[in-house]
């Protein structure tokens, strides 16, 4: 079975440019998460969708960040304009309903490595 | 503020010995705790979990201990193997009807021969 698929795997962009990261969750999973990994803060939750609806976006750093989930099989995270401090690994993850309550788990993609110069 | 803290950024252990990774949390209402393992250039993968109503959960070489009064949990790996070398993230589920997890900063474990 295909896991969570993210693209691009690596992106290097110049400061001020728009960056779009893409995610295809596991089929049948109705929760989708965007996390960002940095050395200082570990894995930070940016936004969480349930049934394509944003439930919690309190982790989105500022207005430069936006996320959409137009359907159950696709989500994007956009940064506009990008800044060097946005350089990090961005992970998308998905889960079945009640996954963490069951001690089941959420499943992560391989990440998108973003470098803003 | 970090609600889930892993104060040791790294740990080095000899093969065959015990690895103990620690995690502290601030919210006594967290009801589920999980450990994830991450290899370089890969996404984190689930390792083991524990409900807040338990104090121990064991799965093969991996055991998680929960001390609610101290708001502390630990992951024990016995015996440690070189393939266990990875970054380990502690995570907690907030109360309420949510599937989101709050992660710590991770501990890099290196198991040497």
């Amino acid at each position: 079975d295909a896991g969570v698929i993210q693209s691009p795997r690596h992106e290097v962009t110049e400061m001020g440019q728009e960056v779009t990261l893409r995610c295809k969750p596991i089929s049948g999973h109705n929760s989708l998460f965007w996390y960002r990994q940095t050395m200082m803060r570990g894995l930070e939750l940016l936004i969480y969708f349930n049934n394509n609806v944003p439930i919690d976006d309190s982790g989105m750093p500022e207005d430069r960040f936006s996320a959409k989930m137009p359907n159950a099989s696709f989500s994007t995270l956009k940064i506009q304009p990008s800044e060097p401090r946005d350089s990090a690994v961005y992970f998308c993850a998905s889960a079945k309903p009640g996954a963490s309550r069951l001690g089941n788990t959420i499943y992560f993609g391989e990440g998108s490595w973003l470098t803003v110069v | 503020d970090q609600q889930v803290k892993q104060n040791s950024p790294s740990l080095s252990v000899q093969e065959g010995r015990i690895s103990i990774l620690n995690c502290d949390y601030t919210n006594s209402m967290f009801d589920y705790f999980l450990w994830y393992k991450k290899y370089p250039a890969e996404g984190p993968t689930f390792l083991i979990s524990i409900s807040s109503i338990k104090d121990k959960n064991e799965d093969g070489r991996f055991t998680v201990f929960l001390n609610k009064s101290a708001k502390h949990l630990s992951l024990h790996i016995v015996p440690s193997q070189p393939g266990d070398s990875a970054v380990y993230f502690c995570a907690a589920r907030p109360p309420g009807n949510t599937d989101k997890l709050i992660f710590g900063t991770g501990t890099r474990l290196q198991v040497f021969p």
Side-chain angles (χ1 to χ4, degrees), chain B residues 30-106:
Chain B
F30 286 150
D31 62 359
Y32 232 104
F33 302 89
L34 302 88
W35 285 92
Y36 278 75
K37 177 179 179 180
K38 183 185 179 304
Y39 291 118
E42 296 183 9
T45 55
F46 171 73
L47 184 59
I48 192 170
S49 65
I50 188 168
S51 165
S52 61
I53 62 174
K54 296 188 176 181
D55 55 20
K56 178 182 174 181
N57 187 29
E58 189 173 352
D59 183 3
R61 296 185 298 114
F62 302 91
T63 303
V64 56
F65 294 93
L66 176 62
N67 182 336
K68 282 180 290 186
S69 61
K71 296 193 186 73
H72 177 84
L73 67 156
S74 60
L75 174 67
H76 293 210
I77 306 173
V78 183
S80 301
Q81 299 174 354
D84 297 328
S85 297
V87 176
Y88 289 79
F89 289 97
C90 170
R93 193 179 84 92
N97 186 23
T98 178
D99 282 324
K100 78 176 186 182
L101 295 175
I102 298 174
F103 284 83
T105 50

Side-chain angles (χ1 to χ4, degrees), chain A residues 9 31 33 35 37 39-43 45 48 56 58 91 96-106 108-110 113, chain B residues 1-2 31-32 34 36 38 40-46 49 87 89 93 96-106 108:
Chain A
R9 288 299 312 276
S31 292
F33 311 83
Y35 281 88
Q37 183 190 5
M39 287 293 292
M40 292 300 294
R41 301 181 68 85
L43 281 167
L45 177 65
Y48 153 42
D56 183 347
S58 59
F91 288 101
K96 294 179 182 178
S100 57
R101 282 192 297 280
L102 296 171
N104 201 333
T105 186
I106 63 175
F108 284 81
E110 294 186 321
W113 295 65
Chain B
D1 289 342
Q2 286 284 123
D31 62 359
Y32 232 104
L34 302 88
Y36 278 75
K38 183 185 179 304
E42 296 183 9
T45 55
F46 171 73
S49 65
V87 176
F89 289 97
R93 193 179 84 92
N97 186 23
T98 178
D99 282 324
K100 78 176 186 182
L101 295 175
I102 298 174
F103 284 83
T105 50
R108 181 177 300 278

